[in-house]
Amino acid sequence: MPTVSALEFQRKFGRFQHEAQRKPVEITRHGRREFVLMSAEHYDWLRASAQRSHRTDAAADVVIDAVERAAMDGEHKPLDDLLT
């Protein structure tokens, strides 16, 4: 993601406006990330994506039961060893 200072962003707004149509532009202030400029289409996609995510504490009982009963295939046993 391109990064630009707030001062440079102000001076070259049109350039970064066009660039943000293709990919988000990170705007910094005093060396710290402050804002991200992106196209409305990209923003809409992010909002829709966030709405498709669900919190685990809001899961239906049937989903919780299925997760509790789930078992990992034996070929992935070495992954358990990484956690201990």
Side-chain angles (χ1 to χ4, degrees), residues 30-41:
H30 303 293
R32 291 190 331 256
R33 180 178 174 197
E34 286 276 319
F35 303 99
V36 175
L37 178 68
M38 66 183 74
S39 68
E41 181 181 350

Side-chain angles (χ1 to χ4, degrees), residues 60-73:
D61 289 339
V62 67
V63 172
I64 293 171
D65 291 340
V67 170
E68 288 174 346
R69 287 191 318 270
M72 191 166 51
D73 189 292

Side-chain angles (χ1 to χ4, degrees), residues 17-84:
Q17 184 179 20
H18 290 293
E19 192 164 339
Q21 289 294 332
R22 292 189 313 278
K23 58 188 169 194
V25 176
E26 187 175 73
I27 304 163
T28 62
R29 198 164 171 198
H30 303 293
R32 291 190 331 256
R33 180 178 174 197
E34 286 276 319
F35 303 99
V36 175
L37 178 68
M38 66 183 74
S39 68
E41 181 181 350
H42 191 156
Y43 176 78
D44 291 343
W45 180 87
L46 286 174
R47 295 271 319 230
S49 177
Q51 290 173 353
R52 286 189 302 267
S53 299
H54 303 284
R55 294 181 48 90
T56 55
D57 61 358
D61 289 339
V62 67
V63 172
I64 293 171
D65 291 340
V67 170
E68 288 174 346
R69 287 191 318 270
M72 191 166 51
D73 189 292
E75 74 178 86
H76 301 294
K77 174 73 172 107
L79 296 176
D80 284 338
D81 298 336
L82 293 175
L83 297 173
T84 57

